[in-house]
Amino acid sequence: EPSMAEAMMMNVRARVMTYLQNQIRERKWTQRRAAEELGISQPRVCHLMGDRIDRFSTDTLIVLLGRLGIDVTLSAKPLAAAKAKRTA
């Protein structure tokens, strides 16, 4: 079972991956065109579109967003459980 930190990282990767998938679909790109635009191979695009989260680091996904001209911002907030512990 993944630790809390590992689960959070997987969640971040999943959200970024979904955003990238949506961008590719909205632009109506083929996997070949997406590969050219993103500077990666077509098999990597296939992994991206196939939810192969294990094949991508957070850093790589953020680089791909940058190649699409997408600005990345980060927000953070206390977890409800951690917040409850501090107030108890």
Side-chain angles (χ1 to χ4, degrees):
E1 185 171 307
S3 69
M4 178 66 85
E6 291 168 333
M8 289 171 66
M9 287 303 297
M10 285 185 76
N11 185 32
V12 168
R13 286 198 335 249
R15 287 173 181 242
V16 175
M17 183 174 274
T18 298
Y19 191 88
L20 283 163
Q21 292 167 344
N22 290 338
Q23 286 294 306
I24 291 168
R25 286 186 192 108
E26 286 175 16
R27 296 168 192 224
K28 297 179 175 30
W29 286 347
T30 62
Q31 287 190 6
R32 183 177 185 165
R33 171 82 188 273
E36 291 170 5
E37 297 290 337
L38 293 170
I40 59 177
S41 68
Q42 184 276 323
R44 290 284 283 162
V45 174
C46 186
H47 292 151
L48 176 68
M49 299 307 287
D51 291 326
R52 293 297 308 269
I53 196 167
D54 58 311
R55 300 286 194 144
F56 296 89
S57 69
T58 304
D59 291 350
T60 297
L61 293 169
I62 291 172
V63 166
L64 296 178
L65 285 176
R67 290 179 182 166
L68 291 180
I70 307 295
D71 185 32
V72 177
T73 58
L74 177 69
S75 65
K77 62 182 178 182
L79 293 171
K83 198 176 182 181
K85 271 187 176 178
R86 286 194 304 262
T87 59

